[in-house]
Structures are given as C-alpha cells and as structure tokens.
Amino acid sequence: MKPTDIARRYFFEQCGYGIGKLALAGMLTGHLDGGALRAEQPADPLAPRAPHFAPKAKRLIHLFMAGAPSHLDLFDPKPKLAELQGKPVPPEVIGGQRYAFIRSDSATLGPQFKFAKYGESGAELSEVMPHLAKVVDDLCFVRSMHTDQFNHAPAQIFLNTGFAQPGRPSMGSWLLYGLGSETRDLPSFVVMSTGAGISGGAANWSSGFLPTTYGGVRLRNSGDPILNVSNPEGVDGLTQSESLKLIQKLNQHRLEQVNDPDIAARIAAYEMAFRLQTTAPELMDLTKEDPKTLEAYGCDPKKPSFSRACLLARRMIEMGTRVVTIYHEGWDAHSDVVGNHRNNCKQTDQACAALIADLKERGLLDDTLVVWGGEFGRTPMIESNAALGRSKGRDHHPQAFTAWLAGGGIKGGMTYGATDDLGFHVVDKPVHIHDLQATILHLMGLDHERLTFTYQGRDFRLTDVHGKVVTDIIKA
Amino acid sequence: MSHRSMLPKVWVSVWGSFTAFIALCLSSQAVAAADFARDVRPILSQYCFKCHGPDDSTRHGGLRLDQRESAIAAGESGAIGIVPQKPDESELIRRILSDDPDSVMPPPHTKQVLTAAHKQILREWISEGAPYAEHWAFKAPTLSPLPKPTDSEWGRNAIDLFVLNRLQAQGLSPSAEAKPEELVRRLYLDLTGLPPTEADVVAYLEDDSPQKYESLVERLLSSPAYGERWTRRWLDLARYADTNGYEKDRVRSIWPYRDWVINSINDDLPFDQFTIKQLAGDLLPNATLADRVATGFHRNTMLNEEGGIDPLEFRFHAMVDRVGTTGTVWLGMSVACAQCHNHKYDPVSQKEYYQLMAYLNNAEEPELELVDEALQKERDEAQQKIQRWLASASQRFPIDLPEVQWQTAEVVSSVSDGGATFEKQRDGSWLVRGDVPDKDVYRLKIKLPKTAGWVTGVRLEVFADGTLPSSGPGRAPNGNMVLSELKARMPNMLSNQQASQGASATPSSEPAVFEWSAAQASFSQQGFSVEDAVDGNSRTGWALDPFPAGPNWNATWHSATPMYQAGGDAPATLEIDLEQLYGGQHLIGKFKLSIGYVNADPVPTDIAAATRELAARSLDRAFANWQQSTAQHNVSWTPVAPTSATANMARLREEGDRVLFAEGDQSKRDWYTLEFAAQDKPIYGVLIEALPDPRLPKQGPGRVYYEGPIGDFFLSEVTLETGDKKFAWESAEQSNAGGNAAAAIDTDPLSGWTINGGQGKRHFAAFRLKEPVPAGQAAKFTMLFERYYAGPLGKFRIWFTDSNATKLLSTLPPEFSTSDEAHDQMLAEKLKQEFGQKETYFAKTTPLMNLWQKELDRLQQAFKTTTTSLVMQERPSDLPRATFVHHRGEFLSPKEQVSNGGPAFLPPVAEGTAGNRLDFAKWLVRADHPLTARVIINRNWSMLMGRGLVHTEEDFGYQGSLPTHPDLLDWMARTWMDGSGQDDPNRWSMKWLHRLIVTSATYRQTSAVDDVRLEKDPDNRWLSRGPRKRMEAEQLRDTLLTASGLLDRKMRGPSVFPPQPLSVTTEGTYGQLAWNVSQGGDRYRRGLYTFAKRTAPYAMFQTFDGPSGEACLAKRVPTNTPLQALTLLNDPVVVETSQVLGRWAKAQQLAVKGEQGNAAANVVNSLFLKLLARQPDPAEAEAVLAYWNAESQRLGAEIEATKKLCGNDVADSQQAAWVLVARALLNTDEFLTRN
C-alpha cells in the first residue's frame, strides 16, 4: 500500500467525515437579516453553495492580456485611420482625455497589420493571430469595451475588483464567496503569470476584505508550484502521512476536550493539505498528456510558458478548480507596436486557439467561460519620443478596446458593439468594465446586485452600484 | 459521546441556536415593546434609508424616515409615511404589506425582502407611537452605575459585574477559570505577542504568591515586547508598509514612524496624545522631531509612480484614504461612503465629508531628515571644523615657488623590514634585491643639505628595470607595487624658536612629522590613488597598473607647512618610511627619492615670519596665476530679481538675494513665468542657477518626488520675450556633466535639461541669445517643465549678462564675475558664509590643496542626508490648499469649495472657528466625543476577548451591530477618558485598559466550551467562556522562533528580510524586489520588523491573513486553509525550528539518567511544556512516544533522510525522530492557537 493511501484511509476511516459533512448550508450575507442581526462567518467558507439561478458557466478561465493589447492592430480594423495617418485627431474627438505619455495633438497611426475575414461568421482578425482565426466561430468579439482608468495598475485592479485602488475583493474571490469550491484537492482560484511583471500586483487576485480563504493562489513557475507543497528534505511520503496521523490524533483529542468547531475545521484543512501534496505534482506532470495535445498548444512540458499555463488551466478545471487567471503581461507597446504585438501573439495565439479547441473537444467549452482581454486599448495616435527611445508605438486608451469571450453560455461567431472610424470612441452598444463583470457573474449563476458582502457598514458588490448584464451576447 | 455523532450535532446546534436566537429576539420583541435603536432602526436603515434617508439627492417621494418629524409628515403624494399609533393609516405599513409589485416596499428591483418578523416589528413600533431615539453611539457615554448581580462570589473587577449581569439575564453562568499554565500562555501571547518559555511557565506555577497573576501582568505590561505586540495591530490600521504600492512599488523609508509607535506604546503615551501627535504632531507648539515623525500615520498612504499617472489624481486618492482611515480608526464609521454622495445610512453629508478632508488636505508631504541630538552635535562639530579649515586655508598652502629645488636625496641608511637589500645605482636611484617578502617597509635616512632652508615636499620616482619581474617597477609578478603609506619625519629639526637662536641650539627631542596638503602623481592606478599613500590607512595605497608611458613614474607630496632646518655641519636628517603592506609582494623594485628644498639665504632672524612669508608668497603666486587663467573666459553676470514670478500651480517666492523658492502643488506640465523690469544694459544671455535646499526632495534643486529621479527637475523649454517679440536662442551650456541645456532651447518639450546624479548641489545652465534684448526693455522669461512625471525646479536664481562672449559659462560661479558693484559688496559678506570668498573658492578647488580638500569633503559628509521618514507638514498660512466637493467623488469633477468643518451630528470641532488639523485631532479625543473612546476600547477589547462588545468593530453607525454590553462599554469609556481627574496617569492609558481587561475574571475563564454554552452562546457574545483564537501571522512566526530559541530580540531599525522563496517578490511582480535574505540575527527578528512589500507581501504572513498595507485594516479575519497547513508542515522556518528542537530534545534525552523509555517520556513532557506550556496527558504522551519510537526505528535504515532531518549532517535517527515530533507538535491546533 502506498503511503498516501494509508493516510487517505486514515482520514476517511478514522475521522469518519469529510469537510462536506461539516459544512453548513452556505449563506450569502445579502440574504440575511440586516443590521444587528447579521450572520457571522459561515463555518466552512468554501462549501459549495447554490447559485442565484441556473448557471451557464461553471468555471472561468480568464486570459488577462496585461499591458493592454491594441484593438486597432488585432481586432478592430480601421481603414479610415490608415487614410488619416500622420494627421492629428480633431480636438473635439479627444475631449479632455489625459494621456500617460503622449500629447493629445499627436498624429494618428494607421493599422499596422493586414486584416482578413475568417470562419463562417466572417470575423475580422489581424494577420498576427492565424491560430485564433481557426476558432473565431466559437468566439464573441466585443469591440465596444471601455474603462475609467488610463494607467495600468489602476485599470487592471479596476477590471479585477471593480475599484481602481487596491483593497477590494477580486472577481475570482467573489465567485468563490458566492459559489464555494467544487474541489478540495486543488485551490479553487488559481493565478498564473507568464509574461513580464504584473502592474496591478497581488491586488489583482486579492480577497480584499473577504476572508483570505477566497484569495487567488499563485501557481508558480519556479520552485514549488504552490508554496511549501513539497515535503521538507528528509521527509518522505510515509513520514509525512505518519506525521499527519499524529497531528490529527492530537487535534482530535484536543477537539474532544475543548469542543471548539474551529479545531474540526483545522483537521479538515490538514486533510486537504495532504491531498494537495499529491494532486499538485499530478497536475504538473504533463507526461501523460497526449503528445498531439502538447503539440496543439505548442507546449514544452518542462518550460513555463503561456502555452503550458493554458494546458494547466484546462487540467485544473477538469479537476474542479473554478477560476483560473493567466496573466500575460507585456502588451504595453509604447514603442514598436508591430514588434511587440508580433512577439506577444507568437507567445499566445496558438495556445488560446488550442485551449478553445481542446475544451470543445472534451465537451468542456459549453460550461467553461473563457475571457480574453487587457485592461484598456491603445491610442489611434502614434507615440514617439526620441528622448525616451520610443517610436511607432501607441499610448494607453481607455475609451475603447476589444475583448473576446467564448464558451460558458456565450454566443459564438459574433462581433458585438462598434467604435468610430478612428477606433477612438465606442459608438454602438458600449460595454463598461462593470458590465463585463456583471455578465461574467451572471453566466456563473450569480446576480451581481445580490452578491454582496457587508463591510464597514456597507454592502459591497463587485460592480459597485453599476453594471448591466450584456444579454445580447448570451445564448438563450 | 463519541466525536462521530457529536460533530454534526455541534454544527447543527451552532446554526440552530443562531436562528433560534433571532427568532427569540423577534418573538420577544413582538410581545414586549419594540425598541427603536435595537429593533427598528436596523430594519429602516437596511431596507429604507437608501431612498428615504439622509441623502436628499436620492430621496424618493419626499419621504424621509431617519428623522421622526419628517417621517410623520406628508410626503410628495400627500400620504403620511408614519402615523403614530395608527399603523393601518401609515403609508409605510401599507406599502410593506402590499402585494402590488409597483407599490410594495422595498421595490422588487432592489432585491431586498422584508421578513414577516420585520413587518411585525415595524407595526408594533408604530402602534407604540413610533418613538425615535438618538442613536446610542452618537451620544456621549455616561458613567453607568455598577450592576449588582445576584452571585457576588464570582468576579474580580468592575467588568465582571457587567458581564455576570448579562450572563444571568441570558440564563448562563461563567465558565471556570482556565488552568494556570493556560493563563500564562494566554497572557504572554496577548500582552507581548510572544509565548512564555518553559522557565516562565514553571516559575509561575511554582509561585505561591496570591498576587502572582497581577504581578505577571505588570511585568508583561512593562516588557519592551508589549510595545512591539500592540504596535503591530496599530500598523494594520495605519496601513503601514515599506514600499509605495501600485505598479512600481518602490521602497520607502518610514520605519522611524513604526519605531515611534513602539516607543509611544511602551511609554504608555496616553491615547489622546497618541492621537494628536499622529494626526497633527507638526502643529504642536515646539514640536519635537518625534512629534513630526508621528505624523507618518497619514503618510502611509500609497504613492503611485506608474509611468504617466496624474500625480494630483493619486494625491486625491490618498486624501480619500486618509479621510476613510480616520473615520474607521477613530470614529468607527464608514465616513468614506460620503465621498460620492450623502451617506445612505449615517448622518454624514457629502459636503461634510469634504469638510473633514479639508482639515487633512492642507499639508505638504515631505521626507523629514531625522537629525537627532547626536547627529546635530556631529554636524555642529563638523561645521566648526570646516570654519577652521576655511580660516587656516592660506596658512596651509604648500610652497610652490621657482626657488624650490628638487634635490636627489642623500640616503645615508636604508633598511628593509623584510630582509631585502638596496643597491645604489649610478643615477642616484636604488634597486631592491634579495628576499622578496610578502610585505615590507623600507626605512630610509636622508641627510639634508648643509645650507639652512626649508623642506617643502618629497618626491618618489619609480623605474622599470629588466631585472625586475615583468620589468617592474614593482617586485610583484606582474611588476606592480603598492605604496601603502609614506611617512616622513625630521627627528632633529629645530623648533622655530630654537632655529632663531642659530646652529648652537639643541634639537628638539620629538621628531617633527610631515603633514601634507597636496599629492600629485604622473599616474595612479584606478582605486589606488597617490592620495591613498598618505591617508593614514595601510589598506589603501598608490599603485601603477597598467603602467602607461614608462619607464619611470613619479609622485610628489607637498608639505602643509615647510620644515626649517638650520643647516651647517650638523644638518638635520629626514626619515622616510615607505610602507608596503598590501601583500602579494607588491613591493617597490627600483626608486629614487628627492626632496623639495628652499635655501634660506640669507638666514632669517625670525624664522616663523619668514616661513609665513614663504607660504603667503606661494599662495599669492598661485592665486594670481589662477585668476589670470580664469579671467580669460570670464563673463560678468548680474543677478536679477523678477518684478513678478508666477506659475500654473506653484507659488514662487523670493527668499532674499534674488533666489526664488517654489512651493505648492505640481503637475506633469508646469511653467514659471518671470517678468523683469527694463535693464540698463542689453541682455545677451540668461543664466539659471539651480540651487539645493534641505526642504526639497533629496535636497533638490528639483521637485521630482515620484517616478522620475527624485530631487531632479526637467527643464523642457525656456523662452525670452519682450512685448510681442520672442528672442531666438543661439546656444546653451551647462555646468553638470551629462546634462544637456541645449535640449531646453530645441523647441522639443520632450527633451530637456536635468541634473540627475547631482542632487544636493548647485548647477548652472547658460543660454545665449541670437540677438540681444536691447537695453531699456522689460523682458519676460518663461520656463516650461514637462515630462510624464512632475518635474519643476524648486529653488533657483536668474542672472543676465551683457557680454557677447561665445562661451558663457566659465569654471567660476557667476557670483565671482558679477558686474553689479552693489551686489559685489553684498556678496562679499553673504558668500563668506554661503560659498566662501574667492580665495576660499580657489582653496577649495586648486590641485595644490587636494589632500586637504579631501578632508573638507569628509567633514561635509556629516551633512549628507541620513535616515528620513515621511511626514506631514502644514502649509504656510498664506498658501492654503483649497478643498472642493467632488461630484460623484470623482477627481476630475471638483465643484464648490469647502472649508474645514466637522459633521453636524457630532460636537463642534472648535469654538467660534473651524479650526485646523490640530484642532481636529484634539476634537477626536475631547471628553464629550461620543465615538473615539468607545471605538478604541471596543477594538482593544476584541483583540483580547476575541470579539468586540460591538461586533461590527469598524461600524458604529446605524448599520452597525448594537453593543452586547452597552453599559460596560460606556463605563469603560467614561472611566478611561476621565480617570479620577486631569492628573490621573490612568486617563487614556492603554496599559490601564489592557490591565483592566486581562485582570478580569471574564478574561480568565477557560476557553473550553461545553454543549450548553455552545448552544446558548455559540459566538461567545455573552462572554460565557474565555477567548480562543488562532494566532496572528507575526505572532505565529515569533512563537516558532521563540520555541527554538532563534528569536533575535533586537528592537527597532530598518525592516529586515527573513528567508522566503525568492520568487515571492520577483515572479510576476512588476516592481521586482530582490529579496536579499538578511544575515545574522536579522533573519530571526520579530515579524513586526519583516520588510512589508505591498504588491507581494511576505508569503507566510499573507497565508495567515496578514495585511498587505494597501488599506486600513480594522480587524483581521482569521481563516483556516490548507495553504496554512502546508506552511506549518513544510516551510523552512518550521523546519529550522524543528531541527533546533530536535537537537535540544536529543540532548535532554542524553542528560536524563535511567531507562531509555523513561528518558524519552521525560523529553516528551519537556517538549510539551516548551511548546504548549503544559504537561501531556497520558493518551497524548503515549501517542507521541509511539510515533517517536516508530520513526526512530524506521529512520535507522534511512541514513540520508536522517541527516537531512537533523539538518547538521548528523545521522542520529533518534534525533531525527525528535525533529519530527517537534514538527508535529508545532502543527497542533493548540500550538497555533491562543487558548
């Protein structure tokens, strides 16, 4: 018998209960009586909880293209912009917009890549995304995204938490808080990073004022994939399981004396930790993946990459993880938008398409929502600054950008919303960040207005006091 | 009952009892009268106030329910919301009972639904006459009378009377007192954050004194660890961190603030003072350095340095944070809600919110240099030395005159310490032969000339030679040498007086040692300069690699005072030691010595005067030469004062001598406009003198404080105009290497003149016009500062020239070339202090004083910025910052301007005036303030008792929960604030408060709970048992380190970097921080001192619910996660601790005589005592022993694993098993819990 089996048998036979049995019926505070009669912490904060209504998506994979890709060069072709190349944008278009680096009288820069139509839907896509072109009929391109923030950190935190300064719970945390976890063998909200450093930092996946139980867990590229998931040197599986037996026995003994339910929760946490020690290496072991799958993702199993992260994401959601966010930071093309975007597409395009195809093939796409996008768009105006060594770049542009969504109740093969001839402003069916958040929650079975948490005397929501579900892009 | 069947029951009962409790409350209320504060307002607040509350901008139907007079008045429709005593006639009741979705309240779209019980309460209340009551927390507390519970046996102080009273009312009784060993551990952890050692536990258990508990409390309250423990919790509120936050998340220095908190808490600074100093210490009369450091509280806000942010926008966000944090910390109110609109629940209007902001908004945010008494003393001394230096400069000028003859020294004796021999060459040089030691000293005696005269310096020549390794000149394999120190003495030199007596005098017994003013060499190796050979440090020296342009190299040292010798038949000797102590045979191979000599001809009668004359003549000559050379390209400049100086944001003020200083806000695009009256002469060029100042970031001269190079500026463009005419620029020059003043006249605002690297010094840029501005015309000079960060100049002066020279900047500063005579006069005085006179300037720069200038540089190091801390500093009274109401709370939508003011529902801030920040701080702690004392006491109560008397610790408003023991809370608040009078040292004393709580019987109850109490009091709100809580993150780490004896108790100072995986602060983080693990004791400091990086907090602390420092944290919510279990099982800190304990356990085992089994059992007992402060019970002991036996046996065959477990290459399976036992005990719930 393997050591792990011994420990498992111990837990299930000796302890006689799993966390599920300990769990109370999950309650969202928004449902409870107000004021002085407010309920306190639910006993098991990760017990699965019923959504507000039948969900279309059970899981979310968020491909966060941090640094902000250019909608003008990837998704939203603007022939007019090419015509106007070199001329300034009329001041009335610019309005009072502040820019990070450029002056508002900078000249326009035409689209830098060729566009073509793909798939039955005839979705328009730039030449640098040849793989994505093959799955466009599963995607819904939202060309009318807009945000309030024009700097990276605040905009990233805004997209993730609904607020531009750190301190509030992230979308993944809200989802765990609302829905609980389907797995006890892996973290239910996992964060990976495959590009450069993330501007918004840990605030992007923070649980904010929610208990840290709901925070995103980093799956790391170096060392232990999850901090401390490996046994210390000299401790083998058997020693670990025997040690846990002793710990659990002492804790059980203590529980009988002190009677505090927290001890029961601690016992369960140790059980989960031990399982995590088994599942984490299993998760990271890609040797059993079909070589064709690895090839499709373009994934070298030994090297951390966006491709590997996408494959791991699929494996995790198969194992019950609810939310996976992959940060690929590096789209911040203040200079050489061509080189930058070519390079980033090379790193991400194939895996994005492979992920969609893979999920579809496994029947997972129907209830897995995939969201791709950055924190804002890029200016139709050129950024060049000899003093800073910049040329042919684009600055930050909050007024309009493109995101795409797929699976999990999203209508495929559609393009939603539109920008003006310069790609400057949204002119049709605007989708604000809060609307995107409301829509994601809705697809996951949660009403963004009812998913609240009382903190400092106020019921907080992911969408603050805003947000409208974009019903047009949701399958009936 | 077995746990199998019990557990689910516990859980059901927890929940069951809670719902039962609600039902109980509701049903009892339905029978008894509904209490407005307890029962009614929570319902109205939660369900109604959003549209019918204090916010008039969102009020519907003209109905307002938070005030009785409006609630009972007719609304817009004419219907009356509340008709007292007539629920059926009240619109409110009609609407909440309605079935019509268009009519029912709350409206369906709000997704808020009233329960039947709620409706019943409202109905009953209206039937009773709908009485309103002032919210309990908005009335000043009054001293509650002490209750008289029936069982007077139980209880130790006043707290217990209140608690027992409530327990009895709930049909509960107190739990038994916790076991002494449990109490000891509880007290240690609560008061100091550290566990007791076994000795502490044993000492307590063996103490027979009846007052031993109280004595222990006193001891712990006066322990320095007490301040550290309570500081950590305060830092949560202060959102303390060691980085700026946001994208770049750069390091900041504000740990002196943290240390201030530690000191204040340990000194038991009364909480009212603690408050005032942190919010307005800078405004206190005679504010001390510590008072100013205290204002760091509100400088803990984040600073966004991301490329291209709007600095004023993020300053606004910081202000929002300050208001919100102040509200949370002191008022226990979500004041922050009123940023965007009138508060939906509490009586705080949006305007009042910005009035509160106005108090805090009128401050500058500098970095304060911490000049304490010691440093000030050091600086004063340095300043005196510098003055002396300046005063004596001319007397130390070396003799550099044509009459100096450099004569080959007549060496009469040469000795090598290392046994080398010297071979005289025909040209007067010496070749070193024989042994080649690692180090050596050549001791040479030189016979001086028979003619009387002065020795003015020493010259050493070294030569290449084919017989030396690599041809020399040194004896090292590569031919190099290092002259560590050159020492020269004249043992038989006559004193001046003796010399004047002539040759018959007896020489002085003390040798005269040469001091040097200058050192020059034909070449010096990088890092081995010729100056290093006379710096008194034998580790440095003069060397020659890579030997350019041989075959000989020389070095000359000039004496600071010429040495006179009388000559004659017994001339003085000169002793020269060539110390070569670098090692590696870096010895001189071939050399020649010369001395500089000035004949005294005729022999002077007054030697001292003659010596002075010699020095003066040398100085005059050198100075004249210098003046002549500088005059060649000397342009005369005139400093000019503008008739007006304006800016888009800053205020420019002349601070005397035509120097302008900028204050106020700054933006990414700032411009300064300076108007000048008509000049008598044409203007050919403009000079900007950028000046440093201690008030500027990094001493300036620029104002860059974020994102860019701190203390720099970015001068994008300068323009000069008269009337309608704009004058074109011809050329530009700057004084700083690497600067580019031409970029300020290239019409490209994206390029500019900067001085990065030259912070703290003055710099010049001169701009020449293509054609001059004619005399008699007024001129306007404009400077534009534009960058993706704010970068204007902080302090500067403008000069004009009427010279049409091509080159405008000389090596001389403009004040030495001024053409303004009046100004010349003034300068003569002024510059004596500020820059020195011309001669002094010469002395500071001439190479003939270079050694001595080094000494000056060293003295000036005392003035370099040392430790700084971020502080608040009130703006000058004539430069207030305006505060506005911001529409929807948006930075870009400022509306009406507001002035300072407190909210109307609270007492006025100051009588007859709005007051300032100091008044605001004092207001928070005035004796009739209803909130502060209650809020603070409640928070401290919660930290000790596990739960606040008001459960919503951060919300005392209408939405907050009601206190479980209002009379106790008020009794404590009143007693705390008032004491027995003004002079009572217990007034506002934190130690008094903590003492009161921990010496109560309530606190001393056992935390074990029985089924009855669990059912009746599941959350322990009635305090029917003692507190029990998982340790906080830092406490846990400190406890681990204490258990292993690794904890380093050093207090205060910069934050440290204990081990953690390096990827935590690098992988995926934008503002990467190399986590260079601290060495020595700093690895094991208390968690409080761990470097706090906002975007990537210390991993272990984050796992255990530690704060990120990004927002004010009123209450840590402990969680229980598998990641915590992984940390405690596998983290290096735990492993290291276990290994230390394993070693200790093995040693214990060996020390105990007797049978093997008994020894092991004793060790188990000791480990329990060490880690859990108690003995194991038999079942525990048996389990642990069995485990230890099994593991020791199994590991007997696992040599490698055993070594790794032991951690020190010991393959002792018993010790390894003890490591594992310790690790297991460290993972028990009991260990990581404050029981």
Side-chain angles (χ1 to χ4, degrees), chain A residues 40 152 212 239-240 253 447, chain B residues 111 306 1105 1177 1194 1223:
Chain A
E40 299 183 4
H152 295 293
T212 51
T239 301
Q240 186 79 335
H253 186 72
D447 179 340
Chain B
K111 295 165 187 171
E306 183 178 328
D1105 315 309
D1177 68 20
R1194 200 171 69 78
R1223 173 168 170 265

Side-chain angles (χ1 to χ4, degrees), chain A residues 71 99 147 376-380 395-401 423-425:
Chain A
H71 56 300
Y99 288 96
T147 181
F376 39 66
R378 304 210 76 89
T379 50
D395 204 353
H396 308 166
H397 192 69
Q399 287 92 342
F401 63 106
F424 196 108
H425 290 289

Side-chain angles (χ1 to χ4, degrees), chain B residues 1202-1223:
Chain B
T1202 302
K1203 279 186 180 173
K1204 284 172 181 161
L1205 281 171
C1206 291
N1208 53 357
D1209 222 28
V1210 173
D1212 180 335
S1213 63
Q1214 287 192 340
Q1215 182 176 326
W1218 285 126
V1219 173
L1220 292 170
V1221 166
R1223 173 168 170 265

